[in-house]
Amino acid sequence: MYSYQHFIDYFKNAPAIIQVVWVMIVLFMVIIIILIIYLKLLRSRLRKNEKIVAQYQNEYESNLITYLYSGNEEEEISAEQQLIVEKLKSCVPDKFKRRVVVSTLLRLRNEISGEMAESIQKLYFQTGLINYALSSLKSKKWYVVAKGIRELAQFHVKEVNDQIVIHVNNPNKEIRKEVQLYLVTLFHFEGLKFLDVLQTQLSEWDQIQLLEVLQRFDEQEIPNINPWLKSKNDSVVIFAIKLAKIYNQFEAKDTLLDLLEHRHKKIRVEAIQVLSHLQVYEAKEVLKNKFNELSLEEQIAFFKLLENVFESSDESFLQEHIQHKNFEIKVSALKIFKLLNIEKFHSFKRLLSAPKDAEIIEFIENN
Amino acid sequence: MNTSTVEIIILIIHFLFFIYACTAIASYIILAMISSKETIEYMKKNSFVNYKEILSSTISPSITIIAPAYNESLNIIENVRSLLSSHYVNYDVVIVNDGSKDDSLEKMIVAYDLVKVDFLINQQIPTKPIRAGVFKSTNPAFEKLTVVDKVNGGKADALNMGLNISKSDYVACIDVDCLLLENSLQKMIKPFLEVTDKTVIATGGVIRIANSCIIKDGKLLDVNFPKKLIEKAQILEYIRAFLLGRMAWSRLNGLLVISGAFGLFNKKVAIEVGGYDTNTVGEDMELIVRMRRYMEETKQKYKVAYIPDPLCWTEAPDNYKIFISQRNRWTRGTIETLRMHRKVAFNPKYKSLGLLSYPYWLLYERLAPVIEVIGIIYFIILAALNEVRWDYALAFIILAYLFAVLFSIVAIFSEELTYHQYKKKGTGFKLIMISLLEPFVLHPFILYAAIRGNIDYYFNKKKKWGEMTRKGMATS
Amino acid sequence: MSDAKKIVLAEDNSTLSLLLKFRLEKEGYKLLIAADGKEAIELIEQHDPELILTDIMMPFISGLEVISHVRNKLNKQTPIIVFSAAGQEEMVLKAFNLGANDFMGKPFSPNELVIRVKRLLR
């Protein structure tokens, strides 16, 4: 016991800071040992979970397939189906099992359509899974709400529309995103009505996702986009411009022309691009007349538009700009010239003799 | 000067060392806490995003992958193939053959049916000229590929050529031997598109170490934990730096470095600031600092984002010689960048860049090895003069060691709870072992390389870049 | 059942594979299931099936590579039906260029798939 006593004495007589250091050493060692043991447990739990998930998934997968193939015409639900419903029902109160059941159903729900898809949805109701999704809407945790909405969208539960629309202007970005996806997935263009009341900005990511969902449907009957093009919410305007482009909304031409005066530069540029896509000749005259007041981005976009809608009357305007210091504008102008008046184009060879310009002319000549 | 003044000066120096050590440790702890908060949020946010079903369409913004290659003939075909297999739709790949002296170009021409094409380059950033020309494939399966052969000008120059050639809104600058997972572009582009109130100028990705992993046809088939100490220690080091360090800096919007091996940039801003600097060995860090500076100076709101998912896998040095030359270069890159932008330091005009990120890098990254060596020398002198209280010194050394180990273990935990890449049985034990050993098997070499870097920077200016000779990717 | 026509199905979604296996085996076909492109190629080389069903996006080796392997490396004219998710029009075009015979956009109805399979195997 001598050394132990010795150490106690040493510790007592050491300065405070050394005492602190020794206390921390012991503390750290204890923490490290605890963490090492915990890491061991954690890793084996993760490994085990992976195995269990795979096992449950296999089981539920074959349950699901049996369910889908054991229906018959006469009964609403066959005895065999009833058995599976009961079995799954007993699994869903367990959070871990529920997650696997839901993901198994979804893996199939997302990939198939027709009668079988409807059967899967029926199973979703019969097993009571829907109640868990609905109760998650009332959760205080944003990700639980968002996940719940997503699940309801994936299972096409249209009936709970009212409970979901109230979240359109939810302060949480992720919840809003799921609400929008829910509406558009289930109600297609009709679901876009949320744009009328949206107070927050629709991010580029959200817009792309919505457009991708919309593109999955065959219907091309799109609602009147004019009100959205006039929206006070700039992101809604940008989104509407994208709709105009993808669905060739020539009817919205006049509103699009008005957007050339919008206070937001990005919107002006995008408006030029869509007018170019729709080949609106009126846009050309408007922009040509105020070309020098435009920002560089608008000028570049305008020249792209010109490539689509040029006429021989544009020749003098183009000639003014073949010396433009912006590369893209110069290339555009020369490209159009080549198509418009090949002789004049050749005459530029003398005019633009700087090596860089010669390179551009040569390239356009050959391509 | 009498003895008491000397004593006071020495006391002050002691005090400064002590404060430095305490603040360094405190900063680690704070960063780890911030990063765990940020990681949890990130995981929650992305747990139910199905990357497979989104952004496969053409509405998504265009991305160009720029990969400079210099004498990479050994693996170039495989590497290009990996770059071409991304699941993102609206992207293309530009391989810039930077004056290679081997047969890289010929190999690519044969493997990918390349032919020379007319290509008009808008030379917004000056670069070394084109050598053999610009090539595209005649095979529609490789229509996304462009190969540019230019006169040698170094990595930065090659990347600039790529910036000039790209017609996309975003560019991904990567090392040609990096292996990208198929959904990496989807994940990396997300921050650019999500933020509505500021401009995201760049997104950085995590680099994972591919040594001993099984890779076939440009795809990662199996993740293995390598055998050599130096490789294992680097894995631990990367996990620590990326999961505990950068994640926190991303939260603070204070990232100064995006790894040169994989970063996605807003092309417009990158070109506006003049592209990569060809006069530094730390072109990746320098570009980010310059872009941040530009955004501050033009008073635009901006963000440098960071994605912690393991998306990019690359071969790390597997011997000390190459390791040291790599770290030596990193050190010189850091010194050069910090010197070039010293105007930013402690300047309130640059907000958190000038008051937080820059000073932190200067004090705890740039100067840390120097201070450590001064400390060691001082300690040796004291020992020689028999002025060391060995029992106290020992207590502090043990404490420092235990802290380092503890910190590594925390990093291992964050890896296990998030991505859990090393699933195999027994690897957990190996990870623990390496966190105990790392202070002896890796740290001394990092310190040595950093000091060499300082010496080379100040006294050996002509030192050329250590070329990193690479071992072929493990194929099965 | 030795004369049952063999079909190789390459699909990384195991639930869908299982569903289609049941459905098609009910019609009297013999199904061989692969979880990725690599397994698919192995199965095709081993069993020389009468028909190949493959998803386009799969881990490791994509459906496109499977098609190209069958047509160019094995020089076989086995009919191939590809599955694609929405928004992969470009991929579908490529698949046709490489020699696919038919495609089904996901989500699809299994009954419709059966009709198309029957038509190709008539």
Side-chain angles (χ1 to χ4, degrees), chain B residues 52 56 81 87 89 143 219-221, chain C residues 12 57 60-61 65 86-87 90 94:
Chain B
K52 200 174 167 184
S56 44
R81 197 185 148 77
H87 280 172
V89 170
E143 64 182 4
K219 275 159 196 155
L220 182 69
L221 297 183
Chain C
D12 58 341
M57 266 195 200
F60 308 135
I61 292 183
E65 290 170 89
E90 209 184 328
K94 270 193 200 160

Side-chain angles (χ1 to χ4, degrees), chain B residues 52-53 56-58 81 86-90 140-141 143-144 182 186 216-217 219-221, chain C residues 11-12 38 55 57-62 65 85-91 94 97-98 106:
Chain B
K52 200 174 167 184
E53 83 185 19
S56 44
S57 78
T58 38
R81 197 185 148 77
S86 172
H87 280 172
Y88 195 80
V89 170
N90 202 1
E143 64 182 4
K144 290 191 187 311
E182 287 136 335
Q186 273 100 315
K216 192 168 181 272
D217 294 335
K219 275 159 196 155
L220 182 69
L221 297 183
Chain C
E11 165 64 59
D12 58 341
K38 205 169 135 249
D55 192 12
M57 266 195 200
M58 282 183 297
F60 308 135
I61 292 183
S62 77
E65 290 170 89
Q88 298 175 353
E89 287 77 15
E90 209 184 328
M91 299 270 199
K94 270 193 200 160
N97 282 338
L98 286 167
K106 280 181 181 175

Side-chain angles (χ1 to χ4, degrees), chain A residues 273-291:
Chain A
Q273 283 164 352
V274 67
L275 287 164
S276 158
H277 172 79
L278 296 172
Q279 309 207 346
V280 178
Y281 280 79
E282 290 102 308
K284 185 176 75 180
E285 294 311 319
V286 178
L287 291 164
K288 215 158 105 178
N289 291 331
K290 57 168 193 171
F291 183 78

Side-chain angles (χ1 to χ4, degrees), chain C residues 2 5 9 11 27 29 39 50 52 74 87 92 103 108 110:
Chain C
S2 63
K5 287 184 171 161
L9 168 62
E11 165 64 59
E27 302 291 329
Y29 302 111
E39 284 180 26
E50 267 84 13
I52 297 164
L74 304 176
V92 173
F103 101 98
F108 60 75

Side-chain angles (χ1 to χ4, degrees), chain A residues 79-300:
Chain A
E80 211 174 333
Q81 279 181 321
Q82 190 59 46
L83 220 64
I84 289 169
V85 171
E86 291 307 325
K87 196 213 144 186
L88 292 180
K89 232 181 190 166
S90 70
C91 293
V92 295
D94 180 315
K95 204 173 153 195
F96 186 77
K97 289 181 181 170
R98 183 166 71 236
R99 242 187 9 227
V100 186
V101 175
V102 168
S103 80
T104 310
L105 294 190
L106 270 182
R107 271 155 62 92
L108 204 54
R109 180 66 186 84
N110 292 338
E111 307 271 28
I112 60 171
S113 61
E115 276 169 47
M116 279 196 174
E118 280 159 31
S119 299
I120 296 175
Q121 193 174 345
K122 215 164 87 190
L123 185 60
Y124 182 67
F125 278 83
Q126 286 165 344
T127 50
L129 280 169
I130 178 158
N131 301 327
Y132 290 96
L134 287 178
S135 67
S136 71
L137 294 183
K138 296 186 188 78
S139 170
K140 285 200 178 65
K141 294 178 187 142
W142 65 262
Y143 59 92
V144 176
V145 180
K147 221 168 184 163
I149 298 175
R150 190 180 185 85
E151 195 180 305
L152 291 167
Q154 285 170 316
F155 282 107
H156 293 244
V157 185
K158 286 187 181 176
E159 295 83 345
V160 292
N161 186 13
D162 312 345
Q163 292 175 56
I164 289 176
V165 191
I166 50 170
H167 290 294
V168 160
N169 283 313
N170 191 297
N172 186 288
K173 204 164 84 182
E174 303 300 319
I175 293 183
R176 290 199 305 267
K177 182 157 66 185
E178 295 305 329
V179 171
Q180 293 156 10
L181 285 172
Y182 171 88
L183 292 171
V184 172
T185 310
L186 299 196
F187 303 98
H188 309 183
F189 287 112
E190 197 61 16
L192 284 178
K193 280 205 180 111
F194 77 86
L195 293 173
D196 300 339
V197 293
L198 186 71
Q199 286 154 9
T200 48
Q201 296 291 304
L202 206 54
S203 77
E204 198 74 13
W205 179 267
D206 300 341
Q207 296 184 25
I208 292 171
Q209 280 195 295
L210 292 175
L211 290 170
E212 291 209 12
V213 173
L214 288 172
Q215 287 192 319
R216 274 184 232 154
F217 310 119
D218 296 328
E219 57 212 282
Q220 297 290 318
E221 261 322 286
I222 103 157
N224 180 9
I225 61 166
N226 281 311
W228 297 328
L229 286 171
K230 289 176 189 156
S231 171
K232 285 198 184 72
N233 184 333
D234 288 344
S235 66
V236 171
V237 179
I238 289 177
F239 182 68
I241 293 177
K242 290 196 179 109
L243 284 173
K245 188 170 176 194
I246 295 171
Y247 296 97
N248 295 315
Q249 292 299 293
F250 205 76
E251 300 82 356
K253 184 187 76 181
D254 293 327
T255 324
L256 286 169
L257 283 169
D258 291 341
L259 288 180
L260 295 177
E261 307 293 337
H262 201 277
R263 69 199 141 72
H264 200 318
K265 186 167 83 183
K266 184 164 184 239
I267 291 180
R268 294 198 302 269
V269 173
E270 300 228 4
I272 298 175
Q273 283 164 352
V274 67
L275 287 164
S276 158
H277 172 79
L278 296 172
Q279 309 207 346
V280 178
Y281 280 79
E282 290 102 308
K284 185 176 75 180
E285 294 311 319
V286 178
L287 291 164
K288 215 158 105 178
N289 291 331
K290 57 168 193 171
F291 183 78
N292 291 324
E293 297 149 38
L294 299 178
S295 66
L296 183 63
E297 281 101 323
E298 289 169 84
Q299 290 184 339
I300 294 172

